[in-house]
Amino acid sequence: MANRRDSRIEPSFEGSPRAKSSDGFSVSEEDRVVPGNRKSAAKRKSAKAKSRGRGRDGNRRGLFSIFGRLLYWCFVFCIWGGIAVAGIVVYYGAKMPAATTWAIPDRAPNIKIVSVDGGLIANRGMSGGEAVGLHEMSPYIPEAVVAIEDRRFYSHFGIDPIGLTRAMVTNLLGRHFSQGGSTLTQQLAKNLFLTPDRTLERKVQEVLLALWLEHKHSKDQILEMYLNRVYFGSGAYGVEAASRRYFGKSARDVTLSEAALLAGLLKAPSRLSPARDPKAAEERAQLVLAAMREEGKISDKEYKVALSAPATRAPSYWTGSENYVADTVMEELPDLIGDVRGDIVIDTTVDLTLQKLAEQSIRRLIDENGKKLNVTQGVLVSIDDSGAVRAMVGGYDYSTSQFDRASEARRQPGSAFKPFVYMAALEAGRTPDSVRNDAPIRIGKWTPDNYGGKYYGRVTLATALAKSLNSVAAQLTMEVGPDAVVEAAHRMGIQSDLQSNTSIALGTSEVTPLELTAAYVPFANGGYKPDIHFIQRITTAGGKVLYENNGGGAPRVIKADIVGMMNSMMTGTVEVGTAKKAAFNWPSAGKTGTSQNSRDAWFVGYTANLTTGVWFGNDDGSPMKKVTGGALPAQAWHEFMVAAHEGVPVRPLPGTWKSTPSDTVVPDEIPSADASQPPTPPAAVGQSTPVAQAPARSARPAETVDAGGFDMPSDGRATGSIKHPVPPGDVGGPTKKRRTSILDILSGG
């Protein structure tokens, strides 16, 4: 018993399923009366599972909690952001004038310059073109602009949130500013009211003004205002100016491909201008066409046809010689009506047909002879008897040089100035039959040579003028005095300062082609000096007359008998003299002129209808290759005048004068002073038969001035084709006692 009482049952902790006592008994876990650790383990497993479930639920609740907090703060941020934006809008909006005072500013006035037949010469002013209604312009223009610039134009309210968001995303992803979100309405607001500065203030004001524009005006009105004011590059504002600038046509006649080019310019007008980069302009136009097709504005067929259209090649500047006229008109305008406050129409005196003909003649002669004869520039001015300028070409090409040589370039007229010398002599009592000795004459140390060094002895003044003999002109200047010659020239219309010296006989004082031509007009109209003008009438767009040239009374500046004698003498220049190439089937007269070394070549001639002056030379004053007034200038004059007189009844020149029969006859076969001239060409433009030369005139007894004897030159100068006595330097008055040089003579000393 003792042993049984002393026996103990102890569990095994060695991991065995069954434990043995010291008496050899073993007890399994199942034999235990009290439950062991199995239930505890199950509970632990269940607790762990629940814990894992609670963890997953907690994670979900945490995620939703973070997302909720994010939404919350975004909402808070939006509220405060909205408050901040509203504050900025209110702040900058308060700096603007009251909305009740807002109004669309007047468009910069357009100045429409038209010819006598209503043809457009040019549009000038800040806009550069007249306003064109949306229903008047080509429908392709607004469609192209909307397709490429603001495709939701007709659906948004002035601001395009979709376009703005797209632009912001694109700029953020690209990390630079590549797209703008401005609508056409915003662009118009900026053009109308604001500066191009990229500031927050300007952007806020732009939005406010865009909303106001949408409220006050219809979509079509906004689009029309935009198209008539936006800049298209190369100085063109508005579609009309741009169409004229790049295509030479109205916006009413623009084709699909041309409309695409115009719309493409809006992104970068200066850089994409076809006058600067035609290739870039064409590539951009193709993008516009693609956008139009995508928007359904054009069909696939129209798209393909437009793509096949040739690229536009625009000149680098406004082209056409009529722009010289437009420039002159713009200079005169302020003196006639003051400031221009609205669109006006200027009716000019210019005949656009004659203008184009004159330009073609000048350019053709330079193209054909420029390199051979070293001539690069030409001018033509034509004026009728009333002083109205019918054509004026100021240079070879306006697009390459806008300098108007007709009204601004002062050049030596050479012998084209001699008619004023002879006129002064006639007014002093000489006649065309008065005889002078053509021989080398010395004035101080100056001996004026004839062209080619040839002299002809005793000649009438009529022959001397026709043959352009320098010696006789110098003698007449000495006889009447340089002051008388200067006074006669100014009285006839020369406005430039003239040097009162003997060399003025050879045209050493500079004048412009316009004033020299104008000074011949009194010979053509019977002795009256009209007001030279380009502008006939100025009216508003509504037809109200602001200015009109009523002509007025032209003062008489030459007596009728002097006009008759001058016309008789200068007719000889065309018939038998240095300008035989100019002759055509109309009574005409004129005078050639060639300055030293052929730097300038002139012919100014006239009929009873028109007076036309032509000049050829180089801007840098370099000599031409033996070009005389009887060559290129006479040819250009002939072409122009034949066309200008087509279908016009023939009229004789004003004034009459006939030589008194005498036994003394001047030979008809005196060689021409322009010895390099070929014979008169065959029938010219518009002529079926050449004009017969006039018979030689009979000279009456000479009316000479007693020179007190003649001496031969002491320096042994060649006397040309004759060996006659030479008038001394004191013919017509004493010379200066000090030593003089050619520079003294030319400078008036």
Side-chain angles (χ1 to χ4, degrees), residues 144-304:
V145 170
V146 169
I148 195 65
E149 287 292 314
D150 189 0
R151 62 184 61 188
R152 281 176 292 276
F153 172 73
Y154 282 100
S155 61
H156 63 61
F157 53 90
I159 303 168
D160 184 8
I162 299 176
L164 184 61
T165 303
R166 184 193 68 247
M168 290 176 61
V169 171
T170 302
N171 294 337
L172 286 173
L173 293 177
R175 296 185 179 181
H176 68 280
F177 185 84
S178 61
Q179 286 192 12
S182 295
T183 64
L184 290 178
T185 312
Q186 288 176 265
Q187 294 179 41
L188 177 62
K190 179 177 65 177
N191 291 337
L192 290 177
F193 304 103
L194 304 172
T195 64
D197 301 334
R198 289 188 175 184
T199 63
L200 179 60
E201 178 180 2
R202 189 200 62 77
K203 196 66 179 177
V204 170
Q205 293 174 346
E206 175 186 300
V207 170
L208 293 175
L209 290 167
L211 295 174
W212 175 80
L213 284 172
E214 291 278 347
H215 175 68
K216 288 289 185 180
H217 301 278
S218 68
K219 289 288 188 178
D220 284 350
Q221 288 174 330
I222 291 172
L223 185 57
E224 181 178 307
M225 285 190 286
Y226 177 82
L227 291 174
N228 278 298
R229 297 173 186 248
V230 70
Y231 183 55
F232 285 91
S234 297
Y237 289 85
V239 289
E240 179 68 10
S243 300
R244 297 282 183 184
R245 171 68 180 85
Y246 298 125
F247 315 126
K249 63 173 70 172
S250 171
R252 300 169 177 85
D253 306 317
V254 165
T255 64
L256 172 58
S257 59
E258 292 167 342
L261 188 145
L262 290 177
L265 297 178
L266 298 175
K267 180 180 180 181
S270 298
R271 179 172 59 83
L272 296 175
S273 168
R276 176 180 179 179
D277 193 341
K279 183 179 179 180
E282 190 64 23
E283 290 174 351
R284 178 67 178 171
Q286 292 175 4
L287 293 177
V288 176
L289 290 171
M292 294 180 71
R293 182 181 63 171
E294 183 180 340
E295 291 295 307
K297 302 294 184 183
I298 58 175
S299 64
D300 289 343
K301 182 179 180 181
E302 289 177 306
Y303 173 73
K304 292 178 181 178

Side-chain angles (χ1 to χ4, degrees), residues 270-474:
S270 298
R271 179 172 59 83
L272 296 175
S273 168
R276 176 180 179 179
D277 193 341
K279 183 179 179 180
E282 190 64 23
E283 290 174 351
R284 178 67 178 171
Q286 292 175 4
L287 293 177
V288 176
L289 290 171
M292 294 180 71
R293 182 181 63 171
E294 183 180 340
E295 291 295 307
K297 302 294 184 183
I298 58 175
S299 64
D300 289 343
K301 182 179 180 181
E302 289 177 306
Y303 173 73
K304 292 178 181 178
V305 172
L307 283 181
S308 64
T312 299
R313 294 292 184 268
S316 60
Y317 204 83
W318 296 97
T319 188
S321 63
E322 64 272 14
N323 285 285
Y324 291 115
V325 175
D327 289 347
T328 303
V329 167
M330 291 300 295
E331 290 178 4
E332 295 182 357
L333 187 60
D335 293 335
L336 299 179
I337 64 171
D339 294 336
V340 179
R341 302 185 182 279
D343 288 1
I344 60 173
V345 179
I346 300 178
D347 294 303
T348 70
T349 60
V350 171
D351 185 319
L352 205 51
T353 301
L354 295 181
Q355 179 73 27
K356 293 295 185 183
L357 179 70
E359 177 183 359
Q360 292 168 6
S361 181
I362 294 294
R363 297 195 69 170
R364 182 186 64 78
L365 289 171
I366 293 178
D367 289 341
E368 293 176 358
N369 303 280
K371 292 183 178 179
K372 178 175 63 178
L373 301 178
N374 189 37
V375 55
T376 59
Q377 288 295 345
V379 165
L380 187 148
V381 179
S382 188
I383 308 172
D384 71 12
D385 290 350
S386 70
V389 178
R390 297 302 182 187
M392 186 181 76
V393 178
Y396 173 79
D397 184 5
Y398 184 87
S399 66
T400 58
S401 173
Q402 294 80 54
F403 177 64
D404 182 10
R405 295 154 190 83
S407 63
E408 297 180 75
R410 285 181 165 78
R411 306 297 292 250
Q412 289 187 349
S415 294
F417 192 83
K418 286 178 182 175
F420 310 120
V421 175
Y422 281 78
M423 184 183 116
L426 296 180
E427 290 178 335
R430 284 64 170 172
T431 72
D433 285 341
S434 297
V435 176
R436 292 295 179 272
N437 182 31
D438 177 39
I441 179 175
R442 185 172 59 196
I443 302 173
K445 290 190 175 182
W446 175 50
T447 301
D449 295 327
N450 284 344
Y451 185 86
K454 296 182 179 181
Y455 299 87
Y456 306 107
R458 291 172 60 82
V459 294
T460 63
L461 299 190
T463 299
L465 182 59
K467 301 302 181 183
S468 197
L469 304 180
N470 292 340
S471 170
V472 175

